[in-house]
Amino acid sequence: MDFSNSLLLWYLGNKRDLPWRNTTDPYPIWLSEIMLQQTRVAQGLPYFLAFMKAFPTVLDLAKADEEQILKLWQGLGYYSRARNMHKTAQIIAFELGGNFPNNYNNLIQLKGIGEYTAAAIASFAFNEVVPVVDGNVFRVLSRYFNVATDIASSGAKKEFTALAKELIPNDNPALFNQAIMEFGALQCVPKNPNCESCIFNSSCAALQKKKVAELPVKSKKVKVTNRYLNYLVFLDNDNNTIISKRIEKGIWHNLYEFPVIEAESELNFETLLNSIQNRYSEHEISSITAYNNQQIIHKLSHQKLHINFYKVVVSKKISNGIPLNSLRNFPFPIVIFNFIEKYSI
């Protein structure tokens, strides 16, 4: 088909030189695909290089300590990806003899590997004729073929996968999948694409119908929850402080944080003082002062976090405390790590 041939020619002349594209080894391909979920290539590339240096094989990753993995992952977000990646590495290394499943149906059985990732690994590493369908592919196909199906609807994935299957060449599925994703990332971008320079400007249905800005259709909107977090940096005379690992499910699972007082709305300073005094009276608090004058806003996919940090000086030695200068050895959520760096904690 003209679409597929034109797309492949465009890709060969415009593709970015990315390390996971220069191999058919499923390990770096898998690593890159997990990292690039919900993440731009520019942001994910340094993490990929750091992981490949620290864990050159799937066995190295499997044998690593989870805290070491989370520390390297710090700032990439969606930390469940890292935890699932570690578990899958252990399955591959210790149960499958270090060998990745070589087909889509078996890959998708592994933890953290969904339809898109399984298709990507199966085609890029094993040349299986299976199309990848991610946000870029939704956008390219919906615009080129004028498909107004809501991509958030239950049947959208099946419809777009069927369309992609009609287009993918049996003799080179890996190249086609790379090409259509790259085209969506570089040319057919979400906002204000340069349609004048597009190779499909004479055949794209959305362009002919002046519907480029309307496609793809995505009607569902994420409900955002506001959370108010007041972090307490305890300090005794020996410069020891308190941190703990978040063990409950939810955001930042298995990452570290300072003691926190969470509220349903922003607390005034007097109310917060009373809460700290009542909850932590055993520490013999000497003073409480704010680090940040302006509230820190940290946005996640479904949550908007309103964060303040407070220095809590205590006269009593903190039992089981950790030295302040050792904080950088622990994996923290990036917003807390940035605070530690900014204030040289």
Side-chain angles (χ1 to χ4, degrees):
M1 180 180 281
D2 288 343
F3 174 84
S4 301
N5 292 334
S6 298
L7 186 66
L8 294 178
L9 287 173
W10 175 90
Y11 177 68
L12 294 174
N14 294 275
K15 67 176 180 176
R16 291 168 290 183
D17 184 19
L18 300 172
W20 50 83
R21 287 183 177 161
N22 301 321
T23 180
T24 56
D25 181 350
Y27 174 61
I29 292 170
W30 166 66
L31 202 64
S32 71
E33 291 300 336
I34 298 298
M35 288 184 168
L36 295 179
Q37 292 169 15
Q38 311 290 332
T39 303
R40 293 174 292 105
V41 167
Q43 182 188 6
L45 179 57
Y47 287 89
F48 172 83
L49 296 174
F51 264 78
M52 287 300 297
K53 183 177 180 180
F55 315 115
T57 70
V58 70
L59 179 60
D60 295 314
L61 183 61
K63 290 161 58 178
D65 182 75
E66 184 183 271
E67 285 196 10
Q68 183 187 5
I69 291 171
L70 292 175
K71 182 64 180 174
L72 267 184
W73 194 274
Q74 185 173 267
L76 202 51
Y78 299 93
Y79 290 88
S80 61
R81 293 181 294 169
R83 294 190 296 272
N84 288 337
M85 188 174 72
H86 190 209
K87 291 172 184 173
T88 291
Q90 292 172 333
I91 291 171
I92 293 168
F94 305 136
E95 297 180 23
L96 301 179
N99 298 311
F100 276 77
N102 63 2
N103 61 81
Y104 173 88
N105 288 333
N106 289 338
L107 283 163
I108 204 171
Q109 304 301 319
L110 295 172
K111 197 169 185 66
I113 296 184
E115 294 177 357
Y116 161 76
T117 305
I121 300 169
S123 66
F124 302 154
F126 305 110
N127 217 33
E128 184 175 352
V129 184
V130 54
V132 296
V133 179
D134 68 348
N136 289 315
V137 176
F138 274 128
R139 188 165 58 256
V140 172
L141 295 181
S142 67
R143 286 174 175 170
Y144 186 82
F145 294 100
N146 187 29
V147 180
T149 302
D150 182 355
I151 63 172
S153 65
S154 58
K157 189 71 175 283
K158 185 176 180 180
E159 179 180 351
F160 279 89
T161 299
L163 178 55
K165 275 183 179 176
E166 295 178 18
L167 302 169
I168 190 169
N170 291 332
D171 59 343
N172 213 335
L175 196 66
F176 175 84
N177 282 335
Q178 292 280 17
I180 195 167
M181 289 193 300
E182 190 78 333
F183 190 78
L186 300 182
Q187 176 65 45
C188 195
V189 294
K191 295 181 180 179
N192 304 314
N194 186 355
C195 294
E196 289 185 9
S197 68
C198 180
I199 57 170
F200 296 122
N201 58 16
S202 62
S203 55
C204 173
L207 183 60
Q208 310 309 318
K209 298 175 182 294
K210 302 188 185 323
K211 293 174 63 177
V212 171
E214 300 170 22
L215 296 172
V217 174
K218 186 177 182 181
S219 63
K220 287 185 180 178
K221 293 195 175 179
V222 175
K223 182 181 179 182
V224 176
T225 302
N226 286 289
R227 297 177 68 178
Y228 298 82
L229 305 174
N230 301 283
Y231 281 109
L232 312 177
V233 184
F234 282 85
L235 282 176
D236 65 14
N237 291 331
D238 295 325
N239 258 359
N240 289 321
T241 191
I242 303 170
I243 60 172
S244 61
K245 184 184 285 191
R246 290 180 65 95
I247 57 174
E248 67 271 18
K249 296 296 183 182
I251 64 168
W252 303 337
H253 178 63
N254 281 0
L255 299 181
Y256 285 83
E257 65 180 356
F258 298 106
V260 62
I261 292 177
E262 183 169 353
E264 294 181 357
S265 60
E266 189 170 353
L267 298 178
N268 62 49
F269 193 60
E270 184 178 350
T271 302
L272 180 65
L273 284 179
N274 291 333
S275 182
I276 296 172
Q277 293 284 5
N278 291 335
R279 192 178 299 187
Y280 299 102
S281 58
E282 76 277 8
H283 289 292
E284 298 181 9
I285 296 169
S286 301
S287 66
I288 302 171
T289 54
Y291 277 104
N292 52 305
N293 295 323
Q294 190 170 356
Q295 190 176 72
I296 297 168
I297 302 297
H298 187 65
K299 294 180 180 178
L300 303 174
S301 58
H302 294 77
Q303 299 180 30
K304 183 178 181 182
L305 308 182
H306 306 255
I307 299 174
N308 290 301
F309 292 91
Y310 296 90
K311 180 192 282 188
V312 182
V313 178
V314 299
S315 56
K316 187 177 179 181
K317 181 178 175 63
I318 296 173
S319 60
N320 299 319
I322 68 158
L324 203 63
N325 60 13
S326 70
L327 287 177
R328 288 168 179 79
N329 298 327
F330 295 86
F332 286 96
I334 192 62
V335 66
I336 298 179
F337 179 77
N338 287 343
F339 159 76
I340 293 169
E341 290 284 288
K342 180 177 180 179
Y343 291 93
S344 300
I345 302 297

Tab-separated table of all heavy atoms in Angstrom, residues 257-284:
chain	number	residue	atom	x	y	z
A	257	GLU	N	10.013	9.025	52.563
A	257	GLU	CA	9.502	10.370	52.780
A	257	GLU	C	9.736	10.762	54.241
A	257	GLU	O	10.019	9.925	55.092
A	257	GLU	CB	8.008	10.459	52.451
A	257	GLU	CG	7.133	9.628	53.369
A	257	GLU	CD	5.650	9.715	53.042
A	257	GLU	OE1	5.272	10.476	52.148
A	257	GLU	OE2	4.871	9.015	53.713
A	258	PHE	N	9.614	12.065	54.507
A	258	PHE	CA	9.642	12.559	55.876
A	258	PHE	C	8.275	12.312	56.516
A	258	PHE	O	7.287	12.062	55.807
A	258	PHE	CB	9.943	14.061	55.889
A	258	PHE	CG	11.290	14.422	55.315
A	258	PHE	CD1	11.398	15.021	54.066
A	258	PHE	CD2	12.450	14.172	56.034
A	258	PHE	CE1	12.627	15.355	53.534
A	258	PHE	CE2	13.699	14.504	55.517
A	258	PHE	CZ	13.782	15.100	54.259
A	259	PRO	N	8.191	12.376	57.854
A	259	PRO	CA	6.869	12.318	58.485
A	259	PRO	C	5.953	13.364	57.855
A	259	PRO	O	6.393	14.489	57.533
A	259	PRO	CB	7.165	12.647	59.949
A	259	PRO	CG	8.585	12.233	60.145
A	259	PRO	CD	9.280	12.526	58.841
A	260	VAL	N	4.695	13.005	57.682
A	260	VAL	CA	3.792	13.897	56.958
A	260	VAL	C	2.460	14.018	57.681
A	260	VAL	O	1.963	13.059	58.279
A	260	VAL	CB	3.581	13.383	55.509
A	260	VAL	CG1	2.934	11.988	55.510
A	260	VAL	CG2	2.754	14.365	54.687
A	261	ILE	N	1.919	15.208	57.631
A	261	ILE	CA	0.551	15.449	58.088
A	261	ILE	C	-0.259	15.816	56.857
A	261	ILE	O	0.002	16.839	56.207
A	261	ILE	CB	0.491	16.573	59.140
A	261	ILE	CG1	1.178	16.112	60.430
A	261	ILE	CG2	-0.962	16.968	59.423
A	261	ILE	CD1	1.236	17.159	61.520
A	262	GLU	N	-1.193	14.939	56.517
A	262	GLU	CA	-2.029	15.185	55.350
A	262	GLU	C	-3.381	15.706	55.790
A	262	GLU	O	-3.929	15.271	56.805
A	262	GLU	CB	-2.198	13.906	54.521
A	262	GLU	CG	-3.015	14.133	53.256
A	262	GLU	CD	-2.982	12.958	52.288
A	262	GLU	OE1	-2.218	11.997	52.525
A	262	GLU	OE2	-3.723	13.007	51.284
A	263	ALA	N	-3.900	16.657	55.016
A	263	ALA	CA	-5.192	17.253	55.345
A	263	ALA	C	-6.053	17.336	54.088
A	263	ALA	O	-5.559	17.216	52.966
A	263	ALA	CB	-4.990	18.643	55.942
A	264	GLU	N	-7.356	17.532	54.293
A	264	GLU	CA	-8.282	17.628	53.170
A	264	GLU	C	-8.261	19.002	52.525
A	264	GLU	O	-8.755	19.189	51.415
A	264	GLU	CB	-9.697	17.293	53.635
A	264	GLU	CG	-9.859	15.835	54.081
A	264	GLU	CD	-11.281	15.519	54.514
A	264	GLU	OE1	-12.114	16.445	54.511
A	264	GLU	OE2	-11.552	14.354	54.843
A	265	SER	N	-7.704	19.978	53.232
A	265	SER	CA	-7.564	21.331	52.694
A	265	SER	C	-6.318	21.941	53.315
A	265	SER	O	-5.698	21.366	54.222
A	265	SER	CB	-8.804	22.177	53.006
A	265	SER	OG	-8.998	22.267	54.407
A	266	GLU	N	-5.957	23.118	52.854
A	266	GLU	CA	-4.742	23.742	53.369
A	266	GLU	C	-4.921	24.140	54.833
A	266	GLU	O	-5.934	24.731	55.217
A	266	GLU	CB	-4.408	24.975	52.526
A	266	GLU	CG	-3.050	25.564	52.843
A	266	GLU	CD	-2.647	26.622	51.838
A	266	GLU	OE1	-3.358	26.809	50.831
A	266	GLU	OE2	-1.601	27.260	52.073
A	267	LEU	N	-3.925	23.791	55.653
A	267	LEU	CA	-3.984	24.101	57.080
A	267	LEU	C	-3.309	25.443	57.353
A	267	LEU	O	-2.243	25.726	56.787
A	267	LEU	CB	-3.258	23.015	57.888
A	267	LEU	CG	-3.811	21.591	57.808
A	267	LEU	CD1	-2.936	20.657	58.642
A	267	LEU	CD2	-5.257	21.530	58.279
A	268	ASN	N	-3.914	26.255	58.232
A	268	ASN	CA	-3.198	27.454	58.648
A	268	ASN	C	-2.088	27.035	59.623
A	268	ASN	O	-2.110	25.940	60.186
A	268	ASN	CB	-4.138	28.503	59.251
A	268	ASN	CG	-4.827	28.006	60.506
A	268	ASN	OD1	-4.199	27.477	61.411
A	268	ASN	ND2	-6.154	28.190	60.568
A	269	PHE	N	-1.135	27.921	59.822
A	269	PHE	CA	0.063	27.557	60.583
A	269	PHE	C	-0.262	27.162	62.024
A	269	PHE	O	0.313	26.214	62.566
A	269	PHE	CB	1.062	28.716	60.563
A	269	PHE	CG	2.429	28.335	61.039
A	269	PHE	CD1	3.168	27.348	60.403
A	269	PHE	CD2	2.991	28.957	62.140
A	269	PHE	CE1	4.437	26.985	60.849
A	269	PHE	CE2	4.257	28.601	62.592
A	269	PHE	CZ	4.984	27.619	61.939
A	270	GLU	N	-1.206	27.856	62.630
A	270	GLU	CA	-1.555	27.564	64.023
A	270	GLU	C	-2.158	26.167	64.156
A	270	GLU	O	-1.806	25.409	65.071
A	270	GLU	CB	-2.545	28.614	64.552
A	270	GLU	CG	-2.885	28.433	66.026
A	270	GLU	CD	-3.822	29.518	66.543
A	270	GLU	OE1	-4.047	30.503	65.821
A	270	GLU	OE2	-4.324	29.360	67.661
A	271	THR	N	-3.044	25.822	63.244
A	271	THR	CA	-3.648	24.485	63.272
A	271	THR	C	-2.586	23.408	63.065
A	271	THR	O	-2.589	22.361	63.729
A	271	THR	CB	-4.728	24.368	62.181
A	271	THR	OG1	-5.714	25.373	62.376
A	271	THR	CG2	-5.386	22.997	62.207
A	272	LEU	N	-1.666	23.676	62.148
A	272	LEU	CA	-0.595	22.718	61.886
A	272	LEU	C	0.303	22.558	63.118
A	272	LEU	O	0.665	21.436	63.486
A	272	LEU	CB	0.234	23.177	60.686
A	272	LEU	CG	1.392	22.252	60.297
A	272	LEU	CD1	0.879	20.905	59.815
A	272	LEU	CD2	2.257	22.900	59.227
A	273	LEU	N	0.635	23.676	63.760
A	273	LEU	CA	1.465	23.626	64.967
A	273	LEU	C	0.832	22.743	66.035
A	273	LEU	O	1.494	21.895	66.646
A	273	LEU	CB	1.675	25.031	65.532
A	273	LEU	CG	2.677	25.939	64.823
A	273	LEU	CD1	2.740	27.289	65.513
A	273	LEU	CD2	4.057	25.307	64.788
A	274	ASN	N	-0.441	22.941	66.262
A	274	ASN	CA	-1.149	22.149	67.267
A	274	ASN	C	-1.128	20.665	66.911
A	274	ASN	O	-0.949	19.800	67.781
A	274	ASN	CB	-2.589	22.632	67.409
A	274	ASN	CG	-2.675	24.008	68.049
A	274	ASN	OD1	-1.781	24.388	68.820
A	274	ASN	ND2	-3.728	24.755	67.746
A	275	SER	N	-1.316	20.386	65.625
A	275	SER	CA	-1.327	18.995	65.178
A	275	SER	C	0.041	18.350	65.384
A	275	SER	O	0.135	17.195	65.841
A	275	SER	CB	-1.728	18.931	63.705
A	275	SER	OG	-1.788	17.596	63.260
A	276	ILE	N	1.112	19.088	65.051
A	276	ILE	CA	2.469	18.555	65.231
A	276	ILE	C	2.763	18.316	66.709
A	276	ILE	O	3.281	17.264	67.094
A	276	ILE	CB	3.508	19.518	64.623
A	276	ILE	CG1	3.316	19.627	63.101
A	276	ILE	CG2	4.935	19.028	64.926
A	276	ILE	CD1	4.164	20.696	62.443
A	277	GLN	N	2.412	19.300	67.545
A	277	GLN	CA	2.675	19.180	68.984
A	277	GLN	C	1.931	17.986	69.586
A	277	GLN	O	2.474	17.253	70.408
A	277	GLN	CB	2.247	20.472	69.698
A	277	GLN	CG	3.085	21.696	69.350
A	277	GLN	CD	4.447	21.703	70.017
A	277	GLN	OE1	4.831	20.750	70.686
A	277	GLN	NE2	5.200	22.785	69.835
A	278	ASN	N	0.689	17.789	69.153
A	278	ASN	CA	-0.104	16.685	69.703
A	278	ASN	C	0.409	15.316	69.223
A	278	ASN	O	0.440	14.354	69.977
A	278	ASN	CB	-1.570	16.842	69.302
A	278	ASN	CG	-2.227	18.019	69.998
A	278	ASN	OD1	-1.797	18.428	71.081
A	278	ASN	ND2	-3.260	18.580	69.378
A	279	ARG	N	0.792	15.265	67.954
A	279	ARG	CA	1.161	13.980	67.372
A	279	ARG	C	2.593	13.566	67.725
A	279	ARG	O	2.904	12.379	67.796
A	279	ARG	CB	0.981	14.030	65.845
A	279	ARG	CG	1.059	12.679	65.178
A	279	ARG	CD	0.819	12.764	63.677
A	279	ARG	NE	-0.500	13.278	63.333
A	279	ARG	CZ	-0.978	13.303	62.084
A	279	ARG	NH1	-0.229	12.840	61.084
A	279	ARG	NH2	-2.173	13.796	61.837
A	280	TYR	N	3.473	14.544	67.904
A	280	TYR	CA	4.897	14.226	68.091
A	280	TYR	C	5.443	14.807	69.393
A	280	TYR	O	6.611	15.197	69.472
A	280	TYR	CB	5.707	14.764	66.901
A	280	TYR	CG	5.300	14.167	65.570
A	280	TYR	CD1	4.496	14.878	64.685
A	280	TYR	CD2	5.713	12.886	65.212
A	280	TYR	CE1	4.119	14.334	63.467
A	280	TYR	CE2	5.350	12.328	63.995
A	280	TYR	CZ	4.542	13.061	63.132
A	280	TYR	OH	4.176	12.510	61.936
A	281	SER	N	4.637	14.842	70.432
A	281	SER	CA	5.035	15.458	71.697
A	281	SER	C	6.233	14.752	72.343
A	281	SER	O	7.004	15.364	73.085
A	281	SER	CB	3.850	15.464	72.675
A	281	SER	OG	3.387	14.129	72.874
A	282	GLU	N	6.419	13.471	72.047
A	282	GLU	CA	7.508	12.723	72.685
A	282	GLU	C	8.887	13.217	72.255
A	282	GLU	O	9.900	12.910	72.882
A	282	GLU	CB	7.371	11.224	72.376
A	282	GLU	CG	7.771	10.778	70.979
A	282	GLU	CD	6.672	10.961	69.938
A	282	GLU	OE1	5.638	11.581	70.270
A	282	GLU	OE2	6.838	10.482	68.802
A	283	HIS	N	8.959	14.018	71.168
A	283	HIS	CA	10.256	14.483	70.666
A	283	HIS	C	10.749	15.765	71.348
A	283	HIS	O	11.859	16.214	71.066
A	283	HIS	CB	10.189	14.706	69.156
A	283	HIS	CG	10.106	13.438	68.360
A	283	HIS	ND1	11.144	12.542	68.274
A	283	HIS	CD2	9.096	12.913	67.621
A	283	HIS	CE1	10.791	11.523	67.515
A	283	HIS	NE2	9.549	11.717	67.107
A	284	GLU	N	9.919	16.353	72.223
A	284	GLU	CA	10.286	17.603	72.899
A	284	GLU	C	10.699	18.672	71.878
A	284	GLU	O	11.865	19.058	71.754
A	284	GLU	CB	11.410	17.357	73.908
A	284	GLU	CG	10.997	16.398	75.022
A	284	GLU	CD	12.092	16.164	76.050
A	284	GLU	OE1	13.124	16.876	75.987
A	284	GLU	OE2	11.924	15.285	76.907
